[in-house]
Amino acid sequence: MSLVASLISSNFIMMTFSTVSGLIAEIYDIKIALVNSCVTIFLIAAIIMQIPSVYFIEKFGLSNSVST
């Protein structure tokens, strides 16, 4: 359950990043679409990487899956 809460909180943090995209684009002198694409890429990667992570958690257990 704590893993799910961690994933949800990190996704909410990344979604709040898009609200300041205009300011970030102005500071770094880039297009707003480029800033928003960073958020989109993170969310897509999170969805894709959840599939193998669930497999490893079910096969090896949570403590073995998240340890280094």
Side-chain angles (χ1 to χ4, degrees), residues 1-60:
M1 187 66 183
S2 63
L3 179 63
V4 173
S6 172
L7 291 172
I8 290 172
S9 66
S10 68
N11 286 337
F12 277 127
I13 290 170
M14 286 302 294
M15 289 171 60
T16 60
F17 179 70
S18 65
T19 60
V20 294
S21 61
L23 180 63
I24 292 171
E26 184 180 320
I27 290 172
Y28 290 106
D29 195 29
I30 58 175
K31 295 182 180 180
I32 294 176
L34 184 62
V35 177
N36 288 333
S37 68
C38 291
V39 175
T40 305
I41 289 170
F42 172 81
L43 293 175
I44 291 171
I47 291 169
I48 292 171
M49 292 308 296
Q50 285 175 3
I51 295 168
S53 66
V54 169
Y55 170 77
F56 283 114
I57 289 170
E58 288 181 357
K59 185 170 183 172
F60 301 112

